[in-house]
Amino acid sequence: MNHFKSVNTSGYILHGAKILHNCQMQSGTLTIEDDFISSIEANKKLENLKKSYPVVDLTGFWVLPGIIDLHGDGFERQLFPRPGVSFDISESLKIVDKELSINGITMAYLACSFSWEGKVRSPEYAKTFLENLNKYKQSMITNIDIQIRYETHLVEKVQELINLIKKYNLNYVVFNNHIPDALDKIKNKPFAFSVWANKMSLKNSELENIVRYRVSKEKQVSHSLKILSDFLKSKNIKFGSHDDESIEDRKWFRSFGAKICEFPTTIAAAKEAHSKNENVIMGAPNLVRGGSHNGNVSTLELLELEYCNILVSDYYYPSLLQSIWYLLDQKICSIENAWALISENPAKAINIDKRGAIKVNNYADLVIINPKTREIEATICNGKIANICKSVADRFIRSSNSVF
């Protein structure tokens, strides 16, 4: 997909919409020049505009900051639509990019495993994936980055991971420990273990042997985590932990400097993170489906307790927008506070500069929504149209000078 670009000018004006600016929805006018928002004017009448650029009338629409998704593995469906079936990474990234834009996601962190599980979650596959993503960067219509999911018991690969982070300038890492869950599945949930092995294209015995070997590395985990954590802190790279079950889990990961709590499985773990002003990330699918699919604490419960401040797509990109309507319909919070969960708060959590809010000199990452139909009508990323539907496309075409 090609970006739409201005023919005779480097800018355009969005007028007449309700804009989320300074933490409130207000009528306003945005001027976009090149990649950035150059001016924001509240309650400006059309006749008073300086029409140096084409003016697009968006009366009746909302303009909100582009969605920032800090954790999503929905892209795996494009790569591996069935167990044992894979498709070309570079071609799949094109589809993922379009899918993100359709869902209003202007910046996405794809969850890439660096794990002992092997095959598609192996360090070798992570390297291949990063190589392909790096080649694709010049063609992106959204901003795609990587969240490295490091399995704590892969102790011998820490330096390899550090080298990879340096090579690709990665800026977000999360620690995972799936050993307790793996042992529980082996002992008590053989069917679930079999499903997991099948997903990894492994025999049950192969996966069990891998798990047992990793258990033997337990005594080396603290040392390897310290090496990795010290490096991440030295580079000011944000990192956290995944699936904390207890207060002790959160405190242990915090002792290494991991101050992001992603998908805590209990209220106690989330409360512990919140008590230290740490970011607590939960899945939007959990919210819109009415609870966790595997019996963990619900996103709704943590939101009502004000322990959760960020929502992510997890495995389903459309859930981010759906979660906003759920929160509004249930009168849990305002549009301003709800939208911060998927824009401003994620940006602040990992220091994403000039994104997450509609401000002068920020990147023009925007979502245009029809509040009546609740549909995303256009997505603008770095000032360029990444996705557009007929209703908004017609308004761009009618503007005083084409911005296509």
Side-chain angles (χ1 to χ4, degrees), residues 109 145-146 165 169-173 237-238 350-352:
Y109 280 78
D145 216 317
I146 292 294
I165 291 169
N169 197 30
L170 304 179
N171 68 338
Y172 187 28
V173 178
I237 294 171
K238 298 298 181 180
I350 62 170
N351 293 341
I352 301 172

Side-chain angles (χ1 to χ4, degrees), residues 24-253:
Q24 62 178 334
M25 295 293 291
Q26 54 188 292
S27 296
T29 299
L30 294 180
T31 301
I32 296 168
E33 296 182 278
D34 298 317
D35 295 353
F36 301 95
I37 298 169
S38 62
S39 74
I40 304 170
E41 298 177 280
N43 302 309
K44 195 83 169 182
K45 293 184 179 180
L46 182 61
E47 57 268 25
N48 295 330
L49 289 178
K50 295 179 180 178
K51 299 177 185 178
S52 53
Y53 294 130
V55 178
V56 183
D57 182 4
L58 290 180
T59 300
F61 290 89
W62 289 353
V63 177
L64 303 119
I67 296 171
I68 297 175
D69 184 20
L70 293 187
H71 173 102
D73 56 30
F75 70 95
E76 291 182 348
R77 279 191 295 275
Q78 307 301 338
L79 292 165
F80 320 110
R82 289 185 178 177
V85 177
S86 62
F87 282 80
D88 179 76
I89 295 174
S90 59
E91 291 299 314
S92 297
L93 283 170
K94 296 176 185 177
I95 305 302
V96 172
D97 203 4
K98 292 181 177 69
E99 187 176 4
L100 293 170
S101 71
I102 289 167
N103 287 289
I105 300 169
T106 55
M107 186 157 206
Y109 280 78
L110 308 186
C112 181
S113 295
F114 198 89
S115 173
W116 47 259
E117 295 164 272
K119 297 196 176 179
V120 299
R121 300 202 184 283
S122 69
E124 292 71 30
Y125 190 84
K127 291 176 188 176
T128 301
F129 189 79
L130 282 163
E131 287 171 7
N132 279 270
L133 181 62
N134 193 54
K135 291 175 183 175
Y136 181 63
K137 279 189 178 293
Q138 297 303 314
S139 303
M140 287 180 187
I141 58 174
T142 62
N143 301 292
I144 302 176
D145 216 317
I146 292 294
Q147 176 205 56
I148 288 289
R149 304 180 66 188
Y150 169 67
E151 278 291 333
T152 58
H153 287 62
L154 195 65
V155 293
E156 73 277 12
K157 295 286 187 178
V158 163
Q159 189 56 52
E160 193 174 309
L161 176 55
I162 288 172
N163 293 340
L164 203 64
I165 291 169
K166 289 178 180 177
K167 181 176 180 179
Y168 293 105
N169 197 30
L170 304 179
N171 68 338
Y172 187 28
V173 178
V174 169
F175 300 155
N176 292 256
N177 179 13
H178 282 119
I179 292 295
D181 182 56
L183 293 173
D184 180 56
K185 283 184 168 71
I186 291 170
K187 183 178 180 179
N188 303 312
K189 303 170 184 175
F191 178 74
F193 187 76
S194 186
V195 170
W196 181 20
N198 185 50
K199 186 177 180 181
M200 295 295 102
S201 301
L202 295 168
K203 295 178 181 178
N204 284 22
S205 59
E206 290 175 323
L207 184 55
E208 182 169 350
N209 287 339
I210 292 170
V211 171
R212 299 294 182 190
Y213 176 72
R214 285 299 149 190
V215 171
S216 73
K217 301 293 183 180
E218 178 71 33
K219 291 182 179 179
Q220 300 174 46
V221 169
S222 290
H223 178 66
S224 61
L225 276 184
K226 185 177 187 310
I227 292 172
L228 178 55
S229 298
D230 286 349
F231 164 75
L232 296 174
K233 287 184 284 189
S234 74
K235 299 298 181 182
N236 198 30
I237 294 171
K238 298 298 181 180
F239 60 108
S241 58
H242 180 89
D243 280 357
D244 292 351
E245 291 186 8
S246 63
I247 294 172
E248 291 71 28
D249 284 347
R250 181 82 292 271
K251 287 183 175 180
W252 190 71
F253 283 114

